[in-house]
Amino acid sequence: MMASMSQPSAGTFDIRSFHSVPETLNRLVSIAKNAGLGVFARIDFSGDAQRAGLTMRPMQMLLFGNPKAGTPLLIASPRVGLDLPLKALAWEDAEGSVWLSSNAPAYLEARHDLPHALIANIAGAQGLLQKAAAP
């Protein structure tokens, strides 16, 4: 069974995960590293909220990428650094479903006026997220 995917806005996409928030990101870390990508940071928003005395549903973000792929985009449009490295947000909704969300490559292309040919450098990340969310 494939993970379901939705496009909640023109700028992002969501992939339904069959795993918990931490396990979804653990899987993505492994898949990214196996694909030769670097993992730069993992942010545990819900853990940080708990340490601050607040409660929220599970939510974590992974920052990952490859300088060989991202640097040409940064050279073409320095402000793309606002969106690089790539980010994947794993979060649990009110019904207990887990989602993996990210920026859509076409959105980054339009937002930063990037040459279309360079989007191929980051477009493959969506497949990695689908793999991480799959059963």
Side-chain angles (χ1 to χ4, degrees):
M1 180 184 220
M2 282 284 294
S4 64
M5 189 166 135
S6 68
Q7 186 111 5
S9 74
T12 61
F13 63 87
D14 295 332
I15 301 169
R16 167 76 168 85
S17 178
F18 288 85
H19 312 281
S20 68
V21 165
E23 182 59 23
T24 298
L25 283 194
N26 289 345
R27 289 169 56 91
L28 184 56
V29 165
S30 177
I31 291 164
K33 286 181 176 179
N34 286 339
L37 302 177
V39 173
F40 303 113
R42 184 170 180 164
I43 301 167
D44 183 356
F45 291 119
S46 50
D48 291 340
Q50 184 178 23
R51 286 184 284 284
L54 304 168
T55 57
M56 65 183 289
R57 288 182 293 279
M59 181 185 293
Q60 295 183 16
M61 179 182 283
L62 190 72
L63 281 69
F64 65 101
N66 180 329
K68 266 190 131 158
T71 301
L73 281 77
L74 291 163
I75 292 168
S77 178
R79 286 185 190 91
V80 77
L82 293 167
D83 293 307
L84 293 179
L86 296 172
K87 296 164 190 70
L89 180 69
W91 54 281
E92 184 181 295
D93 69 17
E95 288 77 41
S97 294
V98 173
W99 298 91
L100 195 51
S101 303
S102 191
N103 286 322
Y107 165 75
L108 296 178
E109 178 181 0
R111 174 175 157 98
H112 300 290
D113 195 27
L114 291 164
H116 182 70
L118 289 180
I119 293 307
N121 289 17
I122 58 171
Q126 187 169 331
L128 301 179
L129 272 64
Q130 287 174 325
K131 198 171 179 185

